[in-house]
Amino acid sequence: MTVYRAPVREMQFLLDDVLKIDRYDNMPSFSEAPRDVRTAILSEAARLSEEILHPLNARGDLDGCTRHPDGSVSAPKGFGDAFGQLGEGGWIGLSAPTQYGGQDLPSTISCAVGEMFSSSNMALEMFSGLTRGAVTALLAHGSEEQKKLYVPKMLAGRWTGTMNLTEPQCGTDLGMMRTKASVQADGTYHITGTKIFISGGEQDMTENIVHLVLARIEGAPSGIKGVSLFVVPKRLVNQDGTLGQKNSVSCGSIEHKMGIHGNPTCVLNFENAVGWLVGRENKGVEAMFVMMNEARLGVGLQAMALSEIAYQNAANYAKERLQGRAIGFAAHPDKPADPIIVHPDVRRTLQQIRAFNEGARALILFTALRNDVAHRSNDAALKEATEDYLGLLTPVIKGALTDWGFAGTVSAQQLFGGHGFIVETGAEQFVRDARITMLYEGANGIQALDLVARKLPRNNGRAIQAFIGELDHFIEENAKQVSLARAVSALQDAASDLKSATDKLLKLAMKDPNDAIAGSTDFMHLVGLVSLGYMWCLMIKAAQEKIEAGDTSKYLATKLSTGSFFLERILPETALYLRRISIGGKDIVDVPADAF
């Protein structure tokens, strides 16, 4: 049986001391989330995670979802009640506008809460996350009538949301989709086609499911430029908000998967299903990407969240598992053997997972706060800079963080030895659940390609140059701080590698784009490592300030030692990525296809 303890202290340190979120309390939403309110929210979310959501995690994985002959799907026992509590408690709409039933708190807070919910029960939290994403798309592109009709009940947890992109013949290449939309005399559309890999596509937990579906209106241009977005509810909704008859949407099957068994991944068939256009014709991908980009940041969070719970259980096991003796002496002579935590390599493994988790958590909250501030600001330059930052870092958070988050669950499983391979310890579920994060919302190779081929050269490299400039500013500002000397030096070396890699990629791309693309995953990981290094410098600086102010807690001492581990042992890997990028891609792209 696994355990979970929400890292509330860690989140408070990040929000209060590193990000200094209270400096924005003069802005809308932030004024509603002072420190005492944040503490209450995080504490209650921790209770829900530990006492309600996590106890259902293993059972949901074991029982999975059941599709019945009539096409209906049952969620695991207990999921409906737990999801109802999330809706009734306002957790789904934590950062949504109050006019539609949300609480309009900063999304930075809902990010922290989302980590707890994903750690404790990722399959269940996915229902909430997808619903929030669908709400975001409707708020950004839907008509006022659509917002009023759907959003309040989605935020209340009475209805859920999904996104429907993938088809059997097309995944990333949405221009190949075949689902069609036929306009009707009353202004509605009939949607016909098949969508696959639809998380939460059918379930019995809520009264209705609001599907957001990409389809091509008959006569629309070919390719991605002819795709539109539609809202297609499972059950039709009357003008007064009551439910009407069932729509022509059916679940053809649910997938038998490696993990996330508690969330049904459905094949959905649309047979002249009634739908309503969201936004403008042929602009569906633009509308859906509002949801997709939010989902990609959320997937990075999921991977870190699973690495966190995997770490917690591995650390507990390492301190309890008696096996052998410490090298050269008995650390616990009163016991038949020493716990495996005495071994340096076990500590190295745990320290490596923890260093990633804490750095990744900081980066996710740092990014969420940046987006929050820009969203509530009237400063056009700030909004543009934030859009650049999000464009650059979204594929990194989705791609690099899920690579490393999955690796964290595998490393945690390794510490269990053979016991990590059996179901009873729960370690293998974290590995299986984390694996999907590298695949969905755009596989990680696609994220790397997007970063190098699209985001890096956009606006003549404005985003990456701004990011490098921010690093340089931090380094210059703190260069004379004796307590930060090692941290600043490590970041400076890593930033130098990033500058060299950026210049090298741009030069390679001018000669042969494939030469640059061959190094895209290395570049994604390089940007990711430097980003985590930057976060660790911010955390070390905040910890040093608290220590100098008289705080002698063990927590801060541990924070400094973990930061030192990251900066000394992990961050220097930027040099390896630079080396790989610098040699170009001839040894990759020149190999003929039939040689594989």
Side-chain angles (χ1 to χ4, degrees), residues 64-98:
C65 300
T66 304
R67 180 184 178 276
H68 305 288
D70 64 355
S72 63
V73 173
S74 297
K77 184 178 179 181
F79 270 41
D81 289 341
F83 187 78
Q85 290 187 51
L86 296 181
E88 291 167 9
W91 297 101
I92 300 172
L94 204 61
S95 56
T98 54

XYZ file of all heavy atoms in Angstrom, residues 64-98:
241
model
N -10.133 -0.755 -12.980
C -10.264 -0.099 -14.269
C -11.688 0.319 -14.566
O -12.544 0.387 -13.678
N -11.951 0.622 -15.831
C -13.276 1.045 -16.286
C -13.924 -0.097 -17.063
O -13.241 -0.922 -17.657
C -13.165 2.280 -17.169
S -12.413 3.696 -16.349
N -15.230 -0.116 -17.068
C -15.974 -1.200 -17.714
C -16.911 -0.642 -18.773
O -17.719 0.236 -18.482
C -16.795 -1.990 -16.687
O -15.922 -2.475 -15.659
C -17.502 -3.163 -17.351
N -16.789 -1.163 -19.991
C -17.735 -0.799 -21.050
C -18.816 -1.851 -21.112
O -18.548 -3.058 -21.153
C -17.036 -0.691 -22.405
C -17.993 -0.307 -23.545
C -17.297 -0.297 -24.897
N -18.223 0.016 -25.974
C -19.005 -0.885 -26.579
N -18.963 -2.155 -26.210
N -19.821 -0.518 -27.559
N -20.061 -1.408 -21.140
C -21.208 -2.309 -21.169
C -21.717 -2.488 -22.596
O -21.379 -1.686 -23.490
C -22.310 -1.764 -20.257
C -21.838 -1.523 -18.852
N -21.553 -2.555 -17.979
C -21.562 -0.366 -18.181
C -21.138 -2.046 -16.830
N -21.133 -0.731 -16.925
N -22.533 -3.514 -22.848
C -23.007 -3.783 -24.215
C -23.716 -2.602 -24.879
O -23.685 -2.469 -26.103
C -23.964 -4.969 -24.022
C -23.424 -5.679 -22.822
C -22.934 -4.587 -21.922
N -24.355 -1.737 -24.085
C -25.058 -0.598 -24.673
C -24.125 0.580 -24.977
O -24.568 1.640 -25.419
C -26.199 -0.129 -23.762
C -25.701 0.403 -22.415
O -24.475 0.315 -22.142
O -26.527 0.885 -21.622
N -22.816 0.387 -24.747
C -21.849 1.437 -25.036
C -21.551 2.342 -23.857
O -20.637 3.175 -23.929
N -22.282 2.207 -22.770
C -22.012 3.021 -21.582
C -20.758 2.499 -20.878
O -20.355 1.347 -21.060
C -23.207 2.992 -20.629
O -23.442 1.673 -20.157
N -20.144 3.352 -20.077
C -18.906 3.006 -19.386
C -19.033 3.351 -17.911
O -19.493 4.445 -17.557
C -17.702 3.766 -19.992
C -16.443 3.549 -19.160
C -17.470 3.335 -21.434
N -18.636 2.428 -17.055
C -18.622 2.671 -15.611
C -17.212 3.002 -15.156
O -16.257 2.287 -15.487
C -19.121 1.430 -14.851
O -20.467 1.148 -15.170
N -17.087 4.068 -14.406
C -15.802 4.425 -13.800
C -15.565 3.528 -12.586
O -16.502 2.882 -12.084
C -15.810 5.887 -13.387
N -14.340 3.446 -12.084
C -14.076 2.618 -10.910
C -14.933 3.041 -9.713
O -15.305 4.212 -9.572
C -12.586 2.864 -10.638
C -12.025 3.263 -11.968
C -13.104 4.054 -12.627
N -15.203 2.094 -8.849
C -16.004 2.353 -7.653
C -15.362 3.454 -6.804
O -14.169 3.438 -6.539
C -16.127 1.075 -6.826
C -17.031 1.212 -5.607
C -17.137 -0.115 -4.860
C -18.028 0.024 -3.631
N -18.131 -1.265 -2.882
N -16.174 4.396 -6.402
C -15.706 5.490 -5.557
C -15.292 6.731 -6.325
O -15.241 7.824 -5.748
N -15.013 6.584 -7.615
C -14.566 7.735 -8.398
C -15.659 8.796 -8.507
O -15.388 9.989 -8.442
C -14.119 7.293 -9.799
C -12.658 6.933 -9.884
C -12.045 6.206 -8.881
C -11.895 7.297 -10.990
C -10.708 5.858 -8.952
C -10.548 6.964 -11.085
C -9.954 6.240 -10.062
N -16.905 8.352 -8.715
C -18.012 9.301 -8.857
C -18.201 10.156 -7.623
O -18.371 11.379 -7.710
N -18.171 9.527 -6.460
C -18.339 10.276 -5.206
C -17.189 11.258 -4.998
O -17.402 12.408 -4.586
C -18.415 9.309 -4.027
C -19.715 8.517 -4.004
O -20.694 8.950 -4.657
O -19.755 7.457 -3.339
N -15.967 10.809 -5.275
C -14.803 11.676 -5.095
C -14.858 12.852 -6.061
O -14.587 13.999 -5.675
C -13.514 10.880 -5.298
N -15.224 12.588 -7.304
C -15.312 13.666 -8.280
C -16.406 14.652 -7.882
O -16.257 15.867 -8.048
C -15.593 13.108 -9.678
C -15.542 14.153 -10.763
C -14.335 14.613 -11.254
C -16.713 14.688 -11.282
C -14.282 15.587 -12.234
C -16.676 15.664 -12.269
C -15.457 16.108 -12.753
N -17.486 14.127 -7.332
C -18.554 14.997 -6.851
C -18.066 15.937 -5.765
O -18.461 17.116 -5.721
N -17.207 15.439 -4.888
C -16.657 16.292 -3.833
C -15.772 17.399 -4.420
O -15.783 18.531 -3.920
C -15.845 15.445 -2.850
C -16.681 14.518 -1.989
C -15.846 13.829 -0.918
O -15.112 14.482 -0.180
N -15.963 12.520 -0.827
N -15.038 17.068 -5.479
C -14.206 18.090 -6.118
C -15.072 19.185 -6.731
O -14.758 20.376 -6.633
C -13.323 17.455 -7.199
C -12.281 16.439 -6.728
C -11.466 15.924 -7.912
C -11.349 17.033 -5.683
N -16.173 18.774 -7.358
C -17.070 19.757 -7.946
C -17.767 20.608 -6.908
O -17.790 21.846 -6.992
N -18.311 19.958 -5.898
C -19.049 20.671 -4.852
C -18.127 21.599 -4.064
O -18.557 22.666 -3.588
C -19.701 19.666 -3.909
C -20.837 18.878 -4.561
C -21.254 17.683 -3.720
O -20.782 17.567 -2.565
O -22.063 16.863 -4.219
N -16.873 21.225 -3.932
C -15.930 22.037 -3.173
C -15.340 23.193 -3.962
O -14.550 23.972 -3.416
N -15.704 23.304 -5.232
C -15.205 24.403 -6.052
C -13.809 24.202 -6.599
O -13.204 25.146 -7.127
N -13.283 22.996 -6.509
C -11.893 22.755 -6.914
C -11.716 22.809 -8.425
O -10.652 23.214 -8.906
C -11.419 21.410 -6.373
C -11.412 21.370 -4.884
C -12.348 20.797 -4.060
C -10.454 21.984 -4.018
N -12.021 21.011 -2.745
C -10.865 21.727 -2.687
C -9.285 22.723 -4.232
C -10.146 22.184 -1.586
C -8.569 23.169 -3.135
C -8.997 22.905 -1.832
N -12.713 22.414 -9.179
C -12.585 22.424 -10.643
C -12.521 23.857 -11.159
O -11.801 24.169 -12.104
C -13.747 21.647 -11.291
C -13.736 20.192 -10.814
C -13.655 21.708 -12.818
C -14.945 19.390 -11.241
N -13.281 24.743 -10.534
C -13.337 26.135 -10.974
C -12.499 27.085 -10.146
O -12.806 28.281 -10.076
N -11.442 26.589 -9.541
C -10.645 27.397 -8.622
C -10.155 28.700 -9.270
O -10.191 29.764 -8.647
C -9.450 26.577 -8.133
C -8.823 26.963 -6.795
C -9.824 26.844 -5.656
C -7.615 26.071 -6.513
N -9.719 28.611 -10.531
C -9.183 29.809 -11.184
C -10.075 30.311 -12.321
O -9.657 31.156 -13.110
C -7.772 29.533 -11.727
O -7.774 28.425 -12.611
N -11.326 29.828 -12.393
C -12.251 30.258 -13.444
C -13.000 31.519 -13.006
O -13.104 31.811 -11.811
C -13.245 29.135 -13.749
N -13.539 32.291 -13.968
C -14.247 33.532 -13.630
C -15.449 33.301 -12.720
O -16.183 32.322 -12.873
C -14.701 34.064 -14.999
C -13.786 33.430 -15.982
C -13.468 32.072 -15.423
N -15.658 34.206 -11.791
C -16.780 34.081 -10.855
C -18.121 34.163 -11.557
O -19.100 33.582 -11.097
C -16.702 35.185 -9.780
O -16.611 36.468 -10.426
C -15.483 34.989 -8.892
